[in-house]
């Protein structure tokens, strides 16, 4: 009942963002993943460290993982 994530990117920044999300969302149930609010991104301070385009990409990866989790409900 838990999800395990794998991902890859050639771009180092994207690889790092993906690793961050995998570390945080790995080994959780779909319900636990869907309970994670995207406001955690602001709490980490990532928005101030990333360009708006990169921050949007990070949010898109997060939303894609949430969408994938919904498929298992």
């Amino acid at each position: 009942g838990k999800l395990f994530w794998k991902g890859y990117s050639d771009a180092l920044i994207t690889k790092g963002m993906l690793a961050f999300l995998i570390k945080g969302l790995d080994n959780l149930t779909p319900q636990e993943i869907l309970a994670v609010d995207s406001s955690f991104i602001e709490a980490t301070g990532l928005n101030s460290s990333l360009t708006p385009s990169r921050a949007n990409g990070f949010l898109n990866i997060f939303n894609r993982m949430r969408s994938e989790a919904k498929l298992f409900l």
Side-chain angles (χ1 to χ4, degrees):
K2 294 190 176 192
L3 298 177
F4 299 92
W5 302 95
K6 288 168 65 173
Y8 179 80
S9 174
D10 286 332
L12 290 178
I13 188 77
T14 305
K15 189 182 291 187
M17 291 188 296
L18 187 57
F20 182 84
L21 286 169
I22 288 173
K23 181 80 169 168
L25 300 177
D26 201 44
N27 200 24
L28 296 179
T29 66
Q31 294 87 351
E32 290 171 323
I33 292 168
L34 294 173
V36 176
D37 188 352
S38 64
S39 65
F40 83 91
I41 297 170
E42 292 178 29
T44 64
L46 278 175
N47 281 348
S48 63
S49 299
L50 298 172
T51 65
S53 177
R54 298 259 190 228
N56 188 47
F58 184 80
L59 181 60
N60 287 337
I61 296 168
F62 173 67
N63 286 335
R64 175 65 188 263
M65 292 172 85
R66 287 175 46 95
S67 293
E68 294 290 325
K70 283 182 189 177
L71 298 175
F72 289 92
L73 292 179

